[in-house]
Amino acid sequence: MTIHLLAGTGARPGRAGGVGRGRAPGTFGELLQGILRPSTDFLVTFPVDLYVEAAFEPDPQLDQVIVSPPHKAKSQRLATAILAHYGAHTGGWLMINSALPEGKGMASSTADLVATARAMDAAFRLHLPNRLLQRMMAEIEPSDGVMHPGITAFFHREVRLHRRMGALPQLTIAGIDDGESVDTIAFNRSRKPIPPHWADRYGQLLDELTAAVRDGDLAAVGRVSAASARLFQTFNPKPHLAEVEEICRAVGGLGTVVGHSGTCLGILLARDHPRHGANLARALKELAGLGRPLIVCRSTSKP
């Protein structure tokens, strides 16, 4: 498919027709992250209501993609790759607006890329398949699975879908930023010294989480997420995990959730709990006492 540019603003199928816009959610860490046999890294996505929005305006007078803000070089690279793949002899203006902090384990980089791809798709009516997008993203960096709706098990180093898991009732996350920024790309590219026999434990946790999501069992989701947070302390420790676990128990939380490759650490709260508001207020008060920046968001796991 070759993209033909039109003079003016009239849009036709397969052709540039003005500004294309795309949006992608970030995550609050992962519900589970580890290895599966035979030593394959995986994670389970946990999308939240913090988004990246992208806009792409084709400009036939440009021979390159110009991105704003300028440090979003990976999005520029993906946009350029998409144009090249579809034979578009044009450049354009790519604008990224992100509500996600960088280096915290909240999938800011992946959301940038997915929002960029969706903006390109809208601008040119590409119907860009996720399989192709994953291949292009794999050339750039390890990535979360937020291009897929709902909760998924995802091979992030390979940028490949493992398992669609479905959706959950909405959860509130009361959390903190428990450290300095982490180079999540370098972290996810490096092999972790996870003992091979742990793969059996992670496989069991993934099966438990799959059943919990299927059944809408939020208590089981919280147990698996908390177990994953504790297991990963060996590789990227959260200084305040023990204190947050204690606060979680005190406020009736479901369990803890962490950015395994970042610094975010939070408590899962069921939004349909009759004391949700009071529990959230108490959790935030107790978390504020830890002296770390607060983070509050909601899950958006429904497709």
Side-chain angles (χ1 to χ4, degrees):
M1 172 184 178
T2 299
I3 298 171
H4 302 283
L5 293 174
L6 298 177
T9 59
R12 298 180 188 174
R15 302 190 177 191
V19 178
R21 303 184 187 278
R23 187 169 84 148
T27 68
F28 193 98
E30 300 80 24
L31 291 173
L32 175 63
Q33 182 168 329
I35 61 168
L36 299 174
R37 292 191 182 276
S39 191
T40 304
D41 295 73
F42 82 103
L43 56 79
V44 175
T45 58
F46 188 45
V48 297
D49 61 350
L50 298 173
Y51 295 90
V52 172
E53 296 181 341
F56 182 78
E57 182 177 5
D59 188 339
Q61 298 185 32
L62 292 174
D63 62 359
Q64 62 180 310
V65 174
I66 297 176
V67 65
S68 175
H71 75 278
K72 300 290 186 179
K74 286 174 284 191
S75 292
Q76 180 187 42
R77 180 177 170 187
L78 178 62
T80 301
I82 291 172
L83 291 174
H85 179 84
Y86 286 99
H89 303 291
T90 182
W93 304 88
L94 175 62
M95 290 145 281
I96 306 289
N97 182 21
S98 176
L100 295 163
E102 298 178 1
K104 304 300 180 183
M106 300 183 72
S108 63
S109 188
T110 296
D112 284 351
L113 294 176
V114 174
T116 293
R118 289 174 175 171
M120 304 289 291
D121 190 275
F124 295 107
R125 294 163 174 77
L126 300 176
H127 305 292
L128 178 67
N130 275 331
R131 186 168 295 180
L132 173 59
L133 173 58
Q134 289 173 177
R135 288 205 305 268
M136 290 181 166
M137 290 173 64
E139 296 294 320
I140 298 173
E141 64 177 11
S143 297
D144 291 78
V146 298
M147 69 287 293
H148 298 283
I151 296 172
T152 64
F154 199 75
F155 296 131
H156 53 287
R157 287 171 59 89
E158 303 172 22
V159 193
R160 180 169 61 88
L161 179 67
H162 173 49
R163 180 185 298 178
R164 297 182 187 275
M165 299 174 67
L168 285 171
Q170 193 174 65
L171 297 162
T172 297
I173 304 96
I176 59 173
D177 176 3
D178 202 22
E180 303 302 323
S181 296
V182 173
D183 185 339
T184 55
I185 305 309
F187 185 89
N188 281 319
R189 279 199 172 123
S190 65
R191 287 287 184 186
K192 309 300 174 296
I194 301 176
H197 67 272
W198 283 25
D200 294 332
R201 174 58 173 151
Y202 278 116
Q204 177 187 13
L205 287 172
L206 179 57
D207 289 342
E208 290 176 11
L209 184 57
T210 300
V213 173
R214 181 194 64 216
D215 299 338
D217 186 345
L218 296 183
V221 169
R223 287 194 299 271
V224 172
S225 180
S228 186
R230 287 191 295 272
L231 282 170
F232 223 77
Q233 280 291 88
T234 303
F235 313 108
N236 183 25
K238 304 296 184 291
H240 292 94
L241 178 61
E243 292 95 327
V244 172
E245 287 178 328
E246 184 176 343
I247 295 169
C248 180
R249 288 189 290 270
V251 303
L254 299 163
T256 53
V257 59
V258 301
H260 293 72
S261 62
T263 62
C264 61
L265 164 60
I267 296 168
L268 298 174
L269 296 166
R271 287 184 61 81
D272 62 357
H273 192 283
R275 289 185 52 80
H276 171 265
N279 291 341
L280 174 59
R282 182 180 176 189
L284 292 176
K285 180 180 178 180
E286 296 292 333
L287 290 171
L290 299 178
R292 302 299 305 172
L294 294 176
I295 305 172
V296 185
C297 52
R298 295 170 297 182
S299 65
T300 58
S301 63
K302 289 190 176 181

